[in-house]
Amino acid sequence: MGGQKKPHGAGSIHVAASSSSSSSCSSHFWSSALRAKSLPPPSDSSATRTRSVDGLVRRLSLFDLLLLGVGASIGAGIFVVTGTVAHDAGPAVTISFILAGASCVLNALCYAELASRFPAVVGGAYLYTYTAFNELTAFLVFTQLMLDYHIGAASIARSLASYVVNILELFSFFRENIPSWIGHGGEEFLGGALSINILAPVILCILTIILCQGVKESSALNSIMTVTKIVIVIFVILAGSFKVDVSNWSPFAPNGIKAILTGSTVVFFAYVGFDAVANSAEESKKPQRDLPIGILGSLLVCVALYIGVCLVITGMVPYEVLGEEAPLAKAFTSKGLKYVSVLISIGAVAGLTTTLLVGLYVQSRLYLGLGRDGLLPPVFARVHPIRHTPVHSQVWVGIVASIMAGLFNVHVLSHILSVGSLTGYSVVSACVIVLRWKDKTANLVNSRWLSSKQEGVIFLVLVALSGFASGLCYRIDAPLILPLAAVLVAVVSIFSLCYRQAYAEAQGFSCPGVPIVPAICIFFNIFLFAQLHYEAWVRFVILSLITVGVYALYGQYHADPNSEESQKTTIYHRIPGEEVAKLQP
């Protein structure tokens, strides 16, 4: 009468099947997320492989790489940030730039070692993380970097458009005849939700077309603009040096040491960009030799130029009169050198152009690397057979930047930038340590519960957490005992990394002081992370969750770190005694 009776145990079987399916999905997710790029046999790493006909080509010389790094690092900020920070730190802003430069040099040493060990493949921080840690961590690093790049490109394009309009308005025909929707800021609609700017997308389209033509053409443009920028900066330094009044350098540090340290956390980001050289590995003529020199050399050039501008601007006028709006130009105008202001505008255009050009270039190479590994659709892995550029990736990057620059006031998002750079720098430093470990299966001091790598990773995380805690204490002026406690935890963790792990010497360029130097980099980078606006922390968490979701829905099913497409371009220089097995956590 009442309906057919279910067989005994059918419900429990259904529950068991569902549980088994859920367990299987979870198991597949973690097995995929924790896999790493396997390293090719040592016999494959002794020489640079020949590019396939549809691959990238080696056309960048050492000089090109140096200009690439300088072009990425020095934009219009050299004419602005020096003065704005000097307003608070006084003439001691020079010390701020030296401290920030020294910190960046330590990060650059880490990049230089890995660029030397992976001298023939695109990917940069993403590739290093994929090899040293695992697939999901590498994907997280990529998305954090890429959001920085996308927002940064759109923001720089708007700034460049504004500078171009400023130069055009030097001619009476254009003066006050160019509407705001063309290049000055933008015409706002819907209560500011939309901000129309026509010139910024046009500039992005032009640069994208140049990049699609080939690395030779884009490198030539970068070289011309970067040399122009450097010449103008040197001229500004020399012209200003004749107007220096040494009495303006006294008092040297009017607001004390804290103002100097705060200034160094601000100007640190003025050096960001040297890592772009590492992403040109597959197009460098002699990557193992030239990449480390290009990374470190370009950074040192930037340090010298920034220090020169700092000394001049603080010597020309009292630091109190320096404002946030065009401080360098106003300093020269006050000394009767108004023509230098025109040169500064030209230098700003050249600087922003190279920064934007290199940023778009790096983005396309990162997309190319993920396309090859299957974490993104295969269209991103295609290289034009004649132009030898990843045209699809380059066009995609240009479209995203053009939409953002043309429709939105991305300057308001500037406070959530730099998350990707600091994340990337920190992970790269950790990769140097991990890839130097000789024995990844046993501790020097035996442990029952943890492998050597697991224990080492825990210490690296403790260093990072200590850096964040110290930065947070510094930010809120917490009692001195709290940051000292955090520093003590970091010191103990670094000590443990030194004495509970065995390290080998790297082939090619070797970062000195491993693991101490990379660990210091991690600590300071995360210290700076704590100084960012709280919305940047929220952005980090939200984007990480979205990234995990995308990976769960697409990446885990399509990624193949050891595919033929991926492996045919991977060259890795092993350290003596390193095992051939895949690096698994």
Side-chain angles (χ1 to χ4, degrees), residues 503-527:
Y503 296 88
E505 291 297 322
Q507 292 184 354
F509 182 87
S510 176
C511 174
V514 174
I516 296 175
V517 168
I520 291 174
C521 290
I522 295 171
F523 182 89
F524 186 70
N525 292 336
I526 303 302
F527 178 93

Side-chain angles (χ1 to χ4, degrees), residues 387-423:
R387 300 294 181 186
H388 298 286
T389 58
V391 174
H392 297 85
S393 296
Q394 197 68 72
V395 170
W396 164 255
V397 167
I399 290 173
V400 172
S402 297
I403 292 173
M404 294 178 68
L407 297 180
F408 306 104
N409 182 13
V410 288
H411 289 305
V412 300
L413 300 177
S414 60
H415 55 273
I416 70 169
L417 285 175
S418 302
V419 174
S421 297
L422 292 174
T423 302

Side-chain angles (χ1 to χ4, degrees), residues 219-242:
S219 176
L221 175 62
N222 178 69
S223 298
I224 293 170
M225 301 297 280
T226 301
V227 169
T228 300
K229 171 174 58 179
I230 293 174
V231 168
I232 289 176
V233 172
I234 292 175
F235 177 82
V236 166
I237 293 172
L238 293 176
S241 63
F242 291 102

